[in-house]
Coordinates of all heavy atoms in Angstrom, one line a residue:
D3 N 57.2 -63.5 104.6 CA 57.0 -62.0 104.9 C 57.3 -61.2 103.6 O 56.6 -60.2 103.2 CB 57.9 -61.5 106.0 CG 57.5 -62.1 107.4 OD1 56.3 -62.6 107.4 OD2 58.3 -62.1 108.3
W4 N 58.4 -61.6 102.9 CA 58.8 -60.9 101.6 C 57.6 -61.0 100.6 O 57.3 -60.1 99.9 CB 60.0 -61.5 101.1 CG 60.3 -61.1 99.7 CD1 60.9 -60.0 99.3 CD2 60.0 -61.8 98.5 NE1 60.9 -59.9 97.9 CE2 60.4 -61.1 97.3 CE3 59.4 -63.1 98.2 CZ2 60.2 -61.5 96.1 CZ3 59.1 -63.4 96.9 CH2 59.6 -62.7 95.9
K5 N 57.0 -62.2 100.6 CA 55.9 -62.4 99.6 C 54.8 -61.5 99.9 O 54.2 -60.8 99.0 CB 55.4 -63.9 99.7 CG 54.3 -64.2 98.7 CD 53.6 -65.5 99.0 CE 52.6 -65.2 100.3 NZ 51.8 -66.3 100.5
L6 N 54.4 -61.3 101.2 CA 53.3 -60.4 101.6 C 53.7 -59.0 101.3 O 52.8 -58.3 100.8 CB 53.0 -60.6 103.1 CG 52.4 -62.0 103.5 CD1 52.2 -62.0 105.0 CD2 51.1 -62.2 102.8
R7 N 54.9 -58.6 101.6 CA 55.3 -57.2 101.3 C 55.3 -56.9 99.8 O 54.9 -55.8 99.4 CB 56.7 -56.9 101.9 CG 56.7 -56.9 103.4 CD 58.0 -56.2 103.9 NE 59.2 -56.9 103.3 CZ 59.8 -57.9 103.9 NH1 59.3 -58.4 105.0 NH2 60.9 -58.4 103.3
A8 N 55.8 -57.9 99.0 CA 55.8 -57.7 97.6 C 54.5 -57.6 97.0 O 54.2 -56.9 96.1 CB 56.6 -58.8 97.0
R9 N 53.5 -58.4 97.6 CA 52.1 -58.4 97.1 C 51.5 -57.0 97.3 O 50.8 -56.5 96.5 CB 51.3 -59.5 97.7 CG 49.9 -59.6 97.2 CD 49.1 -60.6 98.0 NE 49.7 -62.0 97.8 CZ 49.2 -63.1 98.4 NH1 48.3 -62.9 99.4 NH2 49.8 -64.2 98.2
R10 N 51.7 -56.5 98.5 CA 51.2 -55.2 98.9 C 51.8 -54.1 97.9 O 51.1 -53.2 97.4 CB 51.5 -54.8 100.3 CG 50.8 -55.7 101.3 CD 51.0 -55.1 102.7 NE 50.5 -56.1 103.7 CZ 51.3 -56.8 104.5 NH1 52.6 -56.6 104.4 NH2 50.8 -57.6 105.4
R11 N 53.1 -54.2 97.7 CA 53.7 -53.2 96.8 C 53.2 -53.3 95.4 O 52.9 -52.3 94.7 CB 55.2 -53.4 96.8 CG 55.9 -53.1 98.1 CD 57.4 -53.2 98.0 NE 58.0 -52.2 97.0 CZ 59.2 -52.2 96.6 NH1 60.0 -53.2 97.1 NH2 59.6 -51.3 95.7
K12 N 52.9 -54.5 95.0 CA 52.4 -54.8 93.6 C 51.0 -54.2 93.5 O 50.6 -53.6 92.5 CB 52.5 -56.2 93.2 CG 52.2 -56.5 91.8 CD 52.6 -57.9 91.4 CE 52.4 -58.2 89.9 NZ 52.8 -59.6 89.6
A13 N 50.2 -54.4 94.6 CA 48.8 -53.9 94.6 C 48.8 -52.4 94.6 O 47.9 -51.8 94.0 CB 48.1 -54.5 95.8
A14 N 49.9 -51.8 95.2 CA 49.9 -50.3 95.2 C 50.5 -49.8 94.0 O 50.6 -48.5 93.8 CB 50.8 -49.9 96.5
G15 N 50.9 -50.6 93.0 CA 51.4 -50.1 91.7 C 52.9 -50.0 91.7 O 53.4 -49.5 90.7
A16 N 53.6 -50.4 92.7 CA 55.1 -50.3 92.7 C 55.6 -51.6 92.2 O 55.0 -52.7 92.2 CB 55.6 -50.0 94.1
H17 N 56.9 -51.6 91.7 CA 57.5 -52.8 91.3 C 57.9 -53.6 92.6 O 58.4 -53.1 93.5 CB 58.8 -52.5 90.6 CG 58.6 -51.9 89.2 ND1 58.0 -52.5 88.2 CD2 58.8 -50.6 88.8 CE1 57.8 -51.7 87.2 NE2 58.4 -50.5 87.5
S18 N 57.5 -54.9 92.5 CA 57.7 -55.8 93.7 C 59.2 -55.9 94.0 O 59.7 -55.7 95.1 CB 57.0 -57.1 93.5 OG 57.6 -57.8 92.4
L19 N 59.9 -56.4 93.1 CA 61.4 -56.6 93.3 C 62.0 -56.6 91.9 O 61.3 -57.0 90.9 CB 61.7 -58.0 94.0 CG 61.6 -58.0 95.5 CD1 62.0 -59.5 95.9 CD2 62.6 -57.1 96.1
P20 N 63.2 -56.2 91.8 CA 63.8 -56.3 90.4 C 63.9 -57.7 89.9 O 64.2 -58.7 90.7 CB 65.3 -55.7 90.6 CG 65.5 -55.9 92.1 CD 64.2 -55.8 92.8
V21 N 63.6 -58.0 88.7 CA 63.6 -59.3 88.1 C 65.0 -59.5 87.5 O 65.5 -58.8 86.7 CB 62.6 -59.5 87.0 CG1 62.7 -60.8 86.4 CG2 61.2 -59.2 87.6
R22 N 65.7 -60.5 88.0 CA 67.0 -60.8 87.5 C 67.0 -61.4 86.2 O 66.2 -62.4 86.0 CB 67.8 -61.7 88.6 CG 69.2 -62.0 88.2 CD 69.8 -63.0 89.1 NE 69.9 -62.6 90.5 CZ 69.3 -63.2 91.5 NH1 68.5 -64.2 91.3 NH2 69.4 -62.7 92.7
R23 N 67.8 -60.9 85.3 CA 67.8 -61.5 83.9 C 68.7 -62.7 84.0 O 69.8 -62.7 84.5 CB 68.4 -60.5 83.0 CG 67.4 -59.3 82.8 CD 66.1 -59.7 82.2 NE 65.3 -58.5 82.0 CZ 64.0 -58.6 81.6 NH1 63.5 -59.8 81.3 NH2 63.3 -57.5 81.5
V24 N 68.3 -63.8 83.5 CA 69.1 -65.1 83.6 C 69.5 -65.5 82.2 O 68.7 -65.2 81.2 CB 68.3 -66.1 84.3 CG1 68.1 -65.8 85.7 CG2 67.0 -66.4 83.6
P25 N 70.6 -66.1 82.0 CA 71.1 -66.5 80.7 C 70.2 -67.6 80.1 O 69.7 -68.5 80.8 CB 72.5 -67.0 80.9 CG 72.5 -67.5 82.4 CD 71.5 -66.5 83.1
P26 N 69.9 -67.6 78.8 CA 69.0 -68.5 78.2 C 69.8 -69.9 77.9 O 71.0 -69.8 77.7 CB 68.6 -67.9 76.9 CG 69.8 -67.0 76.6 CD 70.3 -66.5 77.9
W27 N 69.1 -71.0 78.1 CA 69.6 -72.3 77.7 C 68.7 -72.8 76.6 O 67.5 -72.5 76.6 CB 69.6 -73.2 78.9 CG 70.5 -72.9 80.0 CD1 70.5 -71.8 80.8 CD2 71.7 -73.6 80.4 NE1 71.6 -71.9 81.6 CE2 72.3 -73.0 81.4 CE3 72.2 -74.9 79.9 CZ2 73.4 -73.4 82.0 CZ3 73.4 -75.3 80.5 CH2 74.0 -74.6 81.6
I28 N 69.3 -73.6 75.8 CA 68.5 -74.3 74.7 C 68.2 -75.7 75.2 O 69.1 -76.4 75.6 CB 69.3 -74.3 73.4 CG1 69.6 -72.9 73.0 CG2 68.4 -75.0 72.4 CD1 68.4 -72.0 72.7
A29 N 67.0 -76.1 75.2 CA 66.6 -77.4 75.7 C 66.0 -78.2 74.5 O 65.2 -77.6 73.7 CB 65.5 -77.3 76.8
Y30 N 66.4 -79.4 74.4 CA 66.0 -80.3 73.3 C 65.1 -81.4 73.9 O 65.1 -81.7 75.0 CB 67.2 -80.8 72.5 CG 67.9 -79.8 71.7 CD1 68.9 -79.0 72.3 CD2 67.5 -79.5 70.4 CE1 69.5 -78.0 71.6 CE2 68.1 -78.5 69.7 CZ 69.1 -77.8 70.3 OH 69.7 -76.8 69.6
P31 N 64.4 -82.1 73.0 CA 63.4 -83.1 73.5 C 64.1 -84.2 74.2 O 63.4 -84.9 74.9 CB 62.7 -83.6 72.2 CG 63.6 -83.1 71.0 CD 64.3 -81.9 71.5
C32 N 65.3 -84.5 74.0 CA 65.9 -85.5 74.9 C 67.4 -85.3 74.9 O 67.9 -84.5 74.2 CB 65.6 -86.9 74.4 SG 66.5 -87.3 72.9
G33 N 68.1 -86.0 75.8 CA 69.6 -85.8 76.0 C 69.9 -84.6 76.9 O 69.0 -84.1 77.7
T34 N 71.0 -84.1 76.8 CA 71.5 -83.0 77.6 C 71.3 -81.7 76.9 O 71.1 -81.6 75.7 CB 73.0 -83.1 77.9 OG1 73.7 -83.2 76.7 CG2 73.2 -84.4 78.7
Q35 N 71.4 -80.6 77.7 CA 71.4 -79.2 77.1 C 72.6 -79.1 76.3 O 73.7 -79.5 76.6 CB 71.4 -78.2 78.2 CG 70.1 -78.2 79.1 CD 70.4 -77.9 80.5 OE1 71.5 -77.8 80.9 NE2 69.4 -78.0 81.3
T36 N 72.4 -78.6 75.1 CA 73.5 -78.6 74.1 C 73.4 -77.4 73.2 O 72.4 -76.6 73.2 CB 73.3 -80.0 73.3 OG1 74.4 -80.0 72.3 CG2 72.0 -80.0 72.6
R37 N 74.3 -77.3 72.3 CA 74.3 -76.2 71.3 C 73.4 -76.5 70.2 O 73.1 -77.7 69.8 CB 75.8 -76.1 70.7 CG 76.8 -75.6 71.8 CD 78.2 -75.6 71.2 NE 79.2 -75.3 72.2 CZ 79.5 -74.0 72.5 NH1 79.0 -73.0 71.8 NH2 80.4 -73.8 73.4
A38 N 73.0 -75.5 69.5 CA 72.1 -75.7 68.3 C 72.8 -76.5 67.3 O 74.0 -76.4 67.0 CB 71.7 -74.3 67.8

């Protein structure tokens, strides 16, 4: 239901939902997430 309501709001030009800012992680080609 939320998806349908958000889609209608977006089609009407309103912001669907606030986008939560999430902390960045650094990912490397192998191993664990780690520091630069």
Side-chain angles (χ1 to χ4, degrees):
D3 291 343
W4 168 83
K5 183 199 75 172
L6 293 175
R7 291 195 304 270
R9 183 184 297 172
R10 294 190 190 104
R11 293 183 63 188
K12 192 169 184 178
H17 294 293
S18 58
L19 275 179
V21 177
R22 184 188 292 120
R23 297 295 179 185
V24 295
W27 291 68
I28 302 299
Y30 289 89
C32 72
T34 57
Q35 292 143 0
T36 179
R37 297 176 183 269

